Amino acid sequence: MTAPLHLTSAQESLAMNIRSLIVALVATLVISTHAFALSWGAVAERVQKSLAYLTMIVETEPGVFIPGTCTAFSINEARHIYLTAAHCTGIDMKLDGNPVGMLYRNDTNDLMVLQTVAPGKPALKPRTKDIKQGLSVASFGFGWGWDQPMIRTGIVSIADISPKDFGNRPHTLFDFPFIGGMSGGPIVDSDGHVVSIVQQSNTREVAGMGQTLTVMLEATRMYWEE
């Protein structure tokens, strides 16, 4: 039988200090995690007010039509203008059930600008700081066609890359994949500023890709609020 371990007063004091340190570290982790969740909660509340549910009828093959859904977000409240992905194009497009007109479409960069007669929603603003690897971000969209938007959080994996299988065009890579229906939704930083747009996941669906902010703004800047 193993004899009980007897600690000296110095050893007991050291053990107590170590336990106190562990408790403090755990408490700090819990508090910081809670604070991080709260920060995204506040951002989510603001961003969701700018989202619009995009519906369309898609011709999957000649003579075959099916309903589709995507996401758009307001970039100009006064003019009722929204940004989304060009691959969300279809017949009878509507934003939150309201008819829309197409102001701009670029299939190469997968960007589309729509305008509706419905009252405008609060417009999101683009990020003005550099986008760097490791930046905390969140994507928003009506995943799986659900009528409530979802949020997915992660970081920027690569700030600017031009892969061959994506046409050698500049993209920003994120460390989380997107979900069908989120296409066209915004990807924002912790201040709620747009850094990119939900466009596609890579072939193994382990990461998401969207146009770099520079490319997106070069193509659509004239439609954003000043």
Side-chain angles (χ1 to χ4, degrees):
M1 182 173 66
T2 303
L5 179 64
H6 295 284
L7 300 178
T8 66
S9 59
Q11 290 173 324
E12 289 179 348
S13 177
L14 177 60
M16 289 181 63
N17 289 337
I18 292 175
R19 285 196 294 270
S20 297
L21 178 60
I22 292 173
V23 170
L25 289 174
V26 171
T28 301
L29 178 60
V30 170
I31 291 172
S32 61
T33 302
H34 184 58
F36 182 75
L38 287 178
S39 68
W40 278 123
V43 171
E45 186 176 353
R46 297 200 314 271
V47 172
Q48 289 181 13
K49 295 177 180 178
S50 303
L51 303 181
Y53 192 88
L54 176 59
T55 59
M56 77 292 293
I57 302 299
V58 182
E59 187 174 14
T60 57
E61 55 183 273
V64 178
F65 299 89
I66 62 172
T69 64
C70 279
T71 305
F73 61 97
S74 173
I75 59 174
N76 193 313
E77 181 176 4
R79 296 175 58 193
H80 315 168
I81 294 177
Y82 295 78
L83 181 62
T84 188
H87 71 258
C88 293
T89 304
I91 302 170
D92 192 30
M93 290 187 294
K94 292 181 179 179
L95 283 175
D96 293 337
N98 300 297
V100 298
M102 186 186 299
L103 300 180
Y104 172 84
R105 176 179 168 185
N106 186 319
D107 291 327
T108 300
N109 291 327
D110 195 19
L111 297 169
M112 181 167 62
V113 178
L114 303 174
Q115 187 174 35
T116 179
V117 297
K121 295 186 176 184
L124 297 181
K125 305 294 184 183
R127 179 180 169 90
T128 56
K129 302 176 183 178
D130 290 340
I131 296 170
K132 298 181 179 180
Q133 189 175 49
L135 176 71
S136 295
V137 295
S139 65
F140 291 82
F142 297 94
W144 291 306
W146 290 349
D147 60 2
Q148 294 292 325
M150 64 174 62
I151 176 175
R152 293 174 66 80
T153 60
I155 62 171
V156 171
S157 291
I158 303 177
D160 192 336
I161 186 172
S162 301
K164 292 181 180 180
D165 51 345
F166 287 91
N168 294 308
R169 296 185 300 277
H171 285 77
T172 297
L173 178 69
F174 305 93
D175 73 332
F176 53 93
F178 305 131
I179 294 173
M182 295 183 74
S183 289
I187 304 171
V188 304
D189 61 17
S190 59
D191 292 321
H193 295 145
V194 179
V195 302
S196 186
I197 181 174
V198 174
Q199 291 179 320
Q200 55 194 321
S201 295
N202 71 342
T203 53
R204 287 174 296 208
E205 296 188 345
V206 295
M209 303 191 74
Q211 291 296 321
T212 62
L213 181 60
T214 299
V215 170
M216 186 176 69
L217 289 181
E218 284 178 351
T220 64
R221 187 183 299 277
M222 63 180 292
Y223 301 105
W224 292 68
E225 282 186 355
E226 294 296 330

